[in-house]
Amino acid sequence: MTEADGTVDLFVIGGGINGCGIARDAAGRGLSVTLAEMGDLAQATSSASTKLFHGGLRYLEYFEFRLVREALIEREVLLRAMPHISWPMRFVLPWHPDMRFEQDTPTSKLLGVVMPWMKGRRPSWLIRLGLFLYDTLGGRRILPGTRTLSLTDTPEGAPLQDRFLHAYEYSDCWVEDSRLVVLNARDAEARGATVMVGTKVLSADRHADHWVVTTRDADGITRQHRARMLVNAAGPWVGEIIRGTLRLNATDGVRLVRGSHIVTQRLYDHDKCYFFQGTDGRIIFAIPYETDFTLIGTTDAEHDDPAVKPDCTPGERDYLLDFANQYFRRQLTAEDVVWSYSGVRPLYDDGAQSASAATRDYTLKLDRTGGAPVLNVFGGKITTYRRLAESALQKIAPVFPGLPGPWTREASLPGGDFPVDGVDALVARLRADHPFLTERWALRLVRAYGTEAAAILQGARSAADLGRDFGATLTEAEVIWLMDREHARRAEDVLWRRSKLGLRLDAGQAAALEDWMAARRAREPGRAAAS
């Protein structure tokens, strides 16, 4: 509860998935919460993932069994909570004798001792054993299990080179990563949290029983906030917050690992993904993306400075192209890349020799020395964000005696209150109520907003009733929703995080949207500040 002097229970630094997930969980347990994000929600790591809820099949080779089991269990929990922005996908894993381990994996080292004649090869029996564990470690009720698949004269084999004769097919899930963050922030607000975007934390001064946090918003206005506790979920900047803003003597470090992706026009006709294994031991995915495209990624490269914007380098682009060209019949070139993106994973520095080997598990460090407590959050996977938030609340529970227990497991996110298999019915209902919608337009709205799509379209009998058309079915009514309900401030927020319509609008259309949003913010400054 907020005290009379304005002191809140938690002040969360960082509007990525970890910060918003913790804010939502805490607000749902009755704590008063303020969250500050210096840019846009999901502006950094949380909008630059491979867009998968997955257990992490390759992590089995690092013996990360607890992490994989937790992630596998979470897949179906999350599917039920957000069936509009997450859905099951089947992954095709072609096999060939040239597959190799990364040299520093525990599995590779073990087999090198007991089966030296394998010379680093990844045998098919080991892949099948890994997939058996993948099917059984977390239990499955919704997702189908692994099967063997012929690549001869099948749709799955058609895009691949003739040397690939069979594959294994298994289940994981897609997720719209940046929308996941926004929906967590919205649910936190619905439960009483205050979310501030475009708000940088300038300093945090520690006292015996509270923190004084100074922030500056996008208009240059400086404010002070009091909180009983801080949560540092600043992602790539977690180390800078510890050393610079909080001025702590913590020895824990963060390892920044850049992951880059490329997007091409659609490379094949079916809706399954590919899991490709390289001769260097690494893996990449090729995934159907936004109906007309294919997403290929990711890389693992060290990234030294969080202040340097991560970009997919020409070398990383060519690595991904060369990797894909080892599998696809059609040989890709740089001219086939229509977009690329890159994000920095803020992993806990566990001393691993390579970026690929660094743990993807999360680490939570509670510091109560010298005054009011602070929780520093390192690492984590998007799949385990909800469990990370639960673990964070468990960690801070002693600070708040009588704190209620976990609640998010059975709670849907905004718009997700319908069955996992209910998308087609929602699309049909939306089109019946608004006959001017095309199938594709209605599906896009349902995939973004779920049951809330009806509220955006409320009262519209024609497309004209939705106001200005910015292109690619993006209308004034939808942009107003995004500004008023989802903290969108700029065209970039709408086109690359609340959606991926930036792939479809040209530069002129994007500029027109930016101008319109700026004019609306100027007309309604109070509403813009609230968002």
Side-chain angles (χ1 to χ4, degrees):
M1 297 293 291
T2 304
E3 297 177 9
D5 62 358
T7 303
V8 298
D9 293 319
L10 286 187
F11 191 102
V12 180
I13 303 173
I17 189 54
N18 290 341
C20 291
I22 291 170
R24 177 198 182 215
D25 195 328
R29 300 191 198 208
L31 296 181
S32 54
V33 180
T34 296
L35 180 147
E37 161 56 43
M38 66 178 179
D40 182 31
L41 296 172
Q43 185 163 313
T45 305
S46 295
S47 60
S49 76
T50 313
K51 328 295 184 192
L52 299 177
F53 278 152
H54 67 125
L57 181 60
R58 78 178 186 89
Y59 304 148
L60 290 174
E61 293 183 359
Y62 292 91
F63 299 165
E64 294 258 22
F65 297 114
R66 190 212 62 79
L67 173 63
V68 174
R69 182 175 185 275
E70 183 174 88
L72 289 172
I73 293 171
E74 278 297 285
R75 290 180 311 178
E76 298 197 4
V77 173
L78 299 175
L79 272 178
R80 289 190 292 270
M82 54 196 82
H84 48 332
I85 64 168
S86 181
W87 53 90
M89 300 189 87
R90 294 291 279 174
F91 287 71
V92 177
L93 194 166
W95 182 83
H96 62 91
D98 295 332
M99 291 175 178
R100 294 290 190 275
F101 289 106
E102 286 186 277
Q103 293 184 353
D104 56 355
T105 69
T107 301
S108 176
K109 293 175 181 177
L110 178 62
L111 284 186
V113 172
V114 300
M115 302 176 67
W117 59 88
M118 294 300 297
K119 297 181 179 179
R121 292 188 182 92
R122 186 183 271 133
S124 60
W125 64 262
L126 187 65
I127 294 172
R128 192 63 188 88
L129 174 62
L131 288 167
F132 171 77
L133 292 173
Y134 207 68
D135 280 346
T136 56
L137 271 177
R140 292 175 294 103
R141 295 185 179 181
I142 300 174
L143 300 175
T146 299
R147 70 183 185 110
T148 302
L149 181 70
S150 171
L151 296 177
T152 304
D153 297 325
T154 61
E156 296 85 354
L160 303 180
Q161 297 170 19
D162 290 338
R163 63 194 181 98
F164 300 105
L165 302 178
H166 75 271
Y168 301 106
E169 184 182 290
Y170 70 96
S171 291
D172 264 323
C173 306
W174 176 264
V175 63
E176 299 287 354
D177 53 4
S178 50
R179 290 210 56 76
L180 173 66
V181 178
V182 170
L183 295 182
N184 270 271
R186 283 193 55 213
D187 203 40
E189 288 181 299
R191 299 173 190 278
T194 298
V195 174
M196 306 181 298
V197 300
T199 301
K200 183 177 178 61
V201 174
L202 301 178
S203 65
D205 297 315
R206 194 177 208 169
H207 299 265
D209 61 353
H210 70 279
W211 290 85
V212 175
V213 183
T214 303
T215 63
R216 183 177 61 227
D217 67 19
D219 296 321
I221 299 173
T222 301
R223 293 184 174 86
Q224 286 195 334
H225 313 262
R226 288 167 57 97
R228 295 174 61 192
M229 180 175 182
L230 286 187
V231 173
N232 173 16
W237 294 270
V238 63
E240 287 194 356
I241 295 293
I242 290 172
R243 293 184 299 273
T245 307
L246 307 183
R247 302 182 296 279
L248 302 179
N249 290 321
T251 58
D252 301 293
V254 62
R255 184 171 190 169
L256 302 181
V257 176
R258 186 175 65 252
S260 294
H261 303 74
I262 59 175
V263 175
T264 69
Q265 295 291 340
R266 186 162 184 158
L267 298 178
Y268 50 89
D269 293 332
H270 60 80
D271 61 357
K272 296 178 182 179
C273 309
Y274 287 103
F275 180 115
F276 292 154
Q277 303 177 81
T279 54
D280 62 354
R282 294 208 67 254
I283 63 98
I284 65 168
F285 296 101
I287 309 172
Y289 187 58
E290 295 292 320
T291 307
D292 299 317
F293 304 92
T294 299
L295 172 66
I296 300 173
T298 181
T299 61
D300 278 318
E302 303 288 352
H303 190 87
D304 296 329
D305 188 351
V308 176
K309 183 180 183 298
D311 288 311
C312 180
T313 67
E316 289 175 302
R317 176 201 64 199
D318 293 343
Y319 173 83
L320 292 172
L321 289 170
D322 291 344
F323 204 139
N325 285 339
Q326 296 173 31
Y327 281 83
F328 286 123
R329 294 179 188 272
R330 175 184 168 186
Q331 295 297 282
L332 303 171
T333 69
E335 285 69 38
D336 292 303
V337 178
V338 299
W339 181 51
S340 65
Y341 67 90
S342 187
V344 176
R345 310 178 189 101
L347 307 180
Y348 185 69
D349 191 354
D350 60 354
Q353 293 183 1
S354 70
S356 297
T359 182
R360 267 53 176 177
D361 209 346
Y362 54 83
T363 300
L364 306 174
K365 295 288 186 174
L366 181 63
D367 184 333
R368 303 188 69 172
T369 62
V374 56
L375 181 72
N376 295 306
V377 180
F378 300 88
K381 288 161 44 66
I382 197 166
T383 311
T384 53
Y385 88 90
R386 191 195 67 84
R387 289 288 292 119
L388 182 153
E390 282 189 342
S391 298
L393 268 293
Q394 182 179 13
K395 198 90 170 176
I396 69 177
V399 181
F400 302 102
L403 187 70
W407 63 274
T408 57
R409 184 181 177 89
E410 305 298 331
S412 63
L413 287 174
D417 50 339
F418 65 96
V420 169
D421 59 356
V423 167
D424 290 344
L426 264 186
V427 169
R429 188 184 317 155
L430 207 63
R431 294 193 70 196
D433 293 340
H434 307 279
F436 61 88
L437 292 175
T438 64
E439 178 79 15
R440 186 161 173 168
W441 187 358
L443 179 60
R444 183 183 74 77
L445 292 175
V446 167
R447 280 300 186 199
Y449 307 104
T451 55
E452 293 189 324
I456 297 174
L457 302 175
Q458 189 171 16
R461 297 184 178 182
S462 69
D465 292 334
L466 298 174
R468 181 170 175 174
D469 178 3
F470 294 102
T473 72
L474 179 66
T475 65
E476 184 176 324
E478 186 175 354
V479 176
I480 289 172
W481 175 277
L482 294 174
M483 294 182 75
D484 291 353
R485 306 289 188 94
E486 298 195 2
H487 295 280
R489 297 170 296 148
R490 306 289 302 275
E492 178 186 353
D493 304 342
V494 171
L495 298 180
W496 293 110
R497 285 181 287 278
R498 307 308 182 278
S499 74
K500 289 296 180 287
L501 291 174
L503 289 166
R504 304 186 186 280
L505 268 64
D506 61 31
Q509 291 171 311
L513 174 62
E514 180 72 37
D515 291 344
W516 187 91
M517 292 177 70
R520 186 170 188 268
R521 289 197 308 272
R523 288 195 308 270
E524 304 182 45
R527 185 184 295 274
S531 69

